[in-house]
């Protein structure tokens, strides 16, 4: 079963500034290049990937986007953005000049809760369908209500919920995350991305650690509104590898039909991100 990775991070500290990496020593010790990623990914069935912005310094947003779009096997990019700024429409107009920019993301899980709820923020993201762009939501599990509000106030925008809404398997666990996912999935303009789960696990996680979370995402969103992403290399910080995550996901969904698996691993990505 071939895979389209909808959430690949590439890190080139010699080219761009990543202020947040100063607190992430396990990621900040080397470049994370497309050559190294695809050397591991291709044998796993990953044919192509979408690059997910890596929260570069604001001055590097356009540079990061243009650089990754020139790399082999990168089918498109989800670029960083700042919907809280008055010049947001100018920014997405510039981004949309690149045909392979598929969407945008503003990191919200480390931002004040009210950032995404202002009238300016909402009005700005309502412009995204005019440019055929989606919006990736990165929220903590205790912030999912913010995503519900966004989805309801901008019903024409396609939102992709990253990392299963960031549950904490070795912390708060399934509840109240499970009810929050069910609530946000009731909004038909929200898609669930199965990624990032292992970031919140203790080392030694297995497919069974992740199974209830993956299965609830599929139950809540349905097979037509789920995507798969690696979140590489962030997913390696708890001791696992890209290979481990791919094998675990395949094991969890092994009982699904080939058609259902194809929707998760590549068909939905091609449709939703217009690859």
């Amino acid at each position: 079963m071939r895979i389209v990775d909808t959430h690949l991070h590439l890190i080139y500290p010699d080219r761009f500034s990543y202020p947040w990496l100063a607190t992430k020593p396990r990621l900040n010790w080397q470049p994370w290049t497309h050559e190294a990623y695809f050397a591991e990914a291709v044998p796993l069935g990953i044919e192509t990937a979408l690059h997910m912005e890596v929260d570069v310094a604001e001055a590097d947003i356009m540079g990061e986007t243009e650089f990754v779009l020139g790399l082999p096997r990168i089918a498109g990019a989800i670029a960083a953005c700042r919907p809280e700024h008055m010049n947001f429409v100018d920014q997405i107009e510039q981004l949309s000049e690149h045909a392979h920019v598929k969407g945008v993301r503003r990191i919200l899980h480390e931002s004040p809760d009210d950032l995404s709820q202002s009238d300016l923020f909402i009005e700005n993201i309502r412009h995204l369908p005019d440019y055929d762009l989606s919006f990736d939501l990165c929220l903590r599990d205790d912030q999912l209500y913010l995503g519900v509000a966004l989805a309801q106030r901008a019903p024409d925008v396609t939102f992709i919920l990253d990392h299963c809404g960031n549950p904490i398997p070795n912390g708060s666990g399934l509840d109240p995350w499970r009810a929050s996912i069910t609530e946000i999935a009731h909004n038909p303009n929200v898609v669930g991305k199965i990624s990032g789960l292992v970031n919140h696990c203790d080392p030694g996680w297995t497919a069974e650690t992740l199974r209830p979370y993956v299965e609830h995402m599929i139950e809540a969103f349905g097979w037509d509104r789920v995507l798969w992403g690696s979140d590489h290399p962030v997913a390696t910080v708890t001791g696992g590898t890209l290979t481990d995550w791919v094998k675990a996901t395949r094991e969890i969904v092994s009982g699904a039909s080939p058609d259902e698996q194809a929707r998760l691993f590549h068909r939905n990505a091609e449709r939703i991100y217009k690859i």
Side-chain angles (χ1 to χ4, degrees):
M1 180 67 64
R2 65 186 181 90
I3 299 175
V4 172
D5 183 356
T6 65
H7 208 100
L8 167 63
H9 299 294
L10 297 174
I11 299 174
Y12 291 85
D14 58 326
R15 289 178 173 270
F16 307 113
S17 174
Y18 310 88
W20 65 280
L21 282 181
T23 62
K24 305 292 182 183
R26 292 191 179 185
L27 295 176
N28 203 24
W29 61 279
Q30 66 171 40
W32 296 85
T33 67
H34 77 288
E35 293 94 343
Y37 167 78
F38 281 109
E40 183 178 5
V42 171
L44 298 171
I46 299 174
E47 294 184 346
T48 189
L50 290 172
H51 183 263
M52 175 59 67
E53 60 92 17
V54 198
D55 201 22
V56 292
E58 190 168 345
D60 285 334
I61 288 175
M62 191 58 63
E64 177 191 51
T65 303
E66 293 174 343
F67 173 71
V68 299
L69 288 176
L71 298 175
R73 292 185 179 269
I74 299 299
I78 296 93
C81 69
R82 296 292 184 269
E84 69 272 26
H85 290 179
M86 291 294 294
N87 68 345
F88 175 73
V89 173
D90 294 335
Q91 182 183 35
I92 59 172
E93 281 184 351
Q94 187 178 5
L95 288 168
S96 69
E97 293 174 1
H98 299 276
H100 295 292
V101 174
K102 305 299 183 179
V104 295
R105 183 172 78 156
R106 173 67 166 109
I107 289 289
L108 297 176
H109 69 289
E110 295 181 349
S111 303
D113 286 357
D114 59 359
L115 177 76
S116 65
Q117 304 301 299
S118 73
D119 290 340
L120 176 61
F121 193 104
I122 300 296
E123 184 58 35
N124 275 336
I125 64 171
R126 285 174 180 160
H127 289 284
L128 291 175
D130 299 336
Y131 299 90
D132 211 17
L133 298 173
S134 58
F135 188 93
D136 267 63
L137 279 169
C138 195
L139 297 164
R140 298 189 310 270
D141 59 346
D142 64 327
Q143 294 176 307
L144 289 174
Y145 71 96
L146 300 174
V148 173
L150 281 171
Q152 292 176 350
R153 293 185 67 187
D156 295 328
V157 176
T158 296
F159 293 93
I160 293 99
L161 179 66
D162 294 345
H163 307 333
C164 305
N166 286 297
I168 314 293
N170 297 109
S172 53
L174 279 166
D175 299 307
W177 167 84
R178 189 158 36 188
S180 298
I181 288 294
T182 299
E183 181 183 12
I184 197 168
H186 282 155
N187 297 276
N189 58 326
V190 181
V191 175
K193 186 179 291 187
I194 295 176
S195 63
L197 280 171
V198 301
N199 307 354
H200 306 296
C201 293
D202 290 337
W205 57 265
T206 67
E208 295 312 305
T209 309
L210 311 175
R211 182 182 296 277
Y213 298 90
V214 174
E215 290 183 342
H216 184 66
M217 287 290 292
I218 294 168
E219 178 184 355
F221 285 97
W223 287 103
D224 287 327
R225 284 196 293 143
V226 286
L227 304 167
W228 185 90
S230 70
D231 197 26
H232 185 79
V234 181
T236 68
V237 297
T238 55
T241 64
L242 173 66
T243 300
D244 294 333
W245 171 227
V246 171
K247 288 182 176 179
T249 319
R250 289 191 187 278
E251 180 180 337
I252 292 166
V253 301
S254 61
S257 71
D259 177 68
E260 290 168 332
Q261 293 185 46
R263 282 183 266 174
L264 169 64
F265 286 121
H266 62 88
R267 286 185 191 160
N268 292 345
E270 292 163 348
R271 172 176 52 85
I272 292 166
Y273 281 118
K274 302 177 179 66
I275 298 172

